[in-house]
């Protein structure tokens, strides 16, 4: 593949990382090996993606901790009176 095709693929991935918009991504087909001139750029992109993955994992863990705390508080609450009303009796 031509370096222009790789340039376009890397630009698209860099935009996804910058915008936090990785939804709907699929691997480009037929790119072949990264041209030597673009190896540094591809390596920086990979590092940025790994950093973003670490941030998302940290956010996920924090969210799970918050949900666990909310569930623990909710489990200690007692009902405040009747939950159902028997209107047929």
């Amino acid at each position: 593949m031509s370096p222009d095709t790789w340039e376009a693929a890397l630009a698209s991935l860099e935009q996804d990382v910058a915008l936090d918009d990785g939804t709907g991504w699929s691997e480009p087909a037929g790119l072949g090996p990264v041209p030597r001139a673009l190896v540094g750029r591809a390596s920086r992109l990979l590092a940025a993606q790994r950093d973003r993955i670490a941030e998302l994992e940290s956010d996920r863990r924090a969210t799970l901790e918050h949900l666990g705390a909310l569930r623990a508080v909710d489990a200690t609450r007692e009902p405040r009176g009747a939950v159902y009303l028997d209107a047929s009796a």
Side-chain angles (χ1 to χ4, degrees):
M1 265 306 135
S2 75
D4 291 340
T5 305
W6 263 103
E7 288 272 353
L10 290 175
S12 175
L13 288 170
E14 288 165 344
Q15 183 178 11
D16 288 347
V17 169
L19 298 175
D20 288 340
D21 183 23
T23 58
W25 182 84
S26 60
E27 179 181 354
L31 282 178
V34 178
R36 249 184 233 278
L38 298 175
V39 168
R41 182 176 174 187
S43 295
R44 286 187 299 276
L45 175 59
L46 179 59
Q49 288 174 324
R50 287 182 176 155
D51 289 345
R52 185 65 186 126
I53 289 168
E55 289 173 19
L56 290 171
E57 181 59 28
S58 176
D59 291 348
R60 185 186 74 84
R61 279 192 305 270
T63 300
L64 288 174
E65 288 174 12
H66 289 258
L67 285 173
L70 289 172
R71 287 183 181 129
V73 168
D74 211 26
T76 62
R77 292 187 182 160
E78 293 183 24
R80 293 184 180 173
V83 178
Y84 300 101
L85 173 64
D86 184 0
S88 64

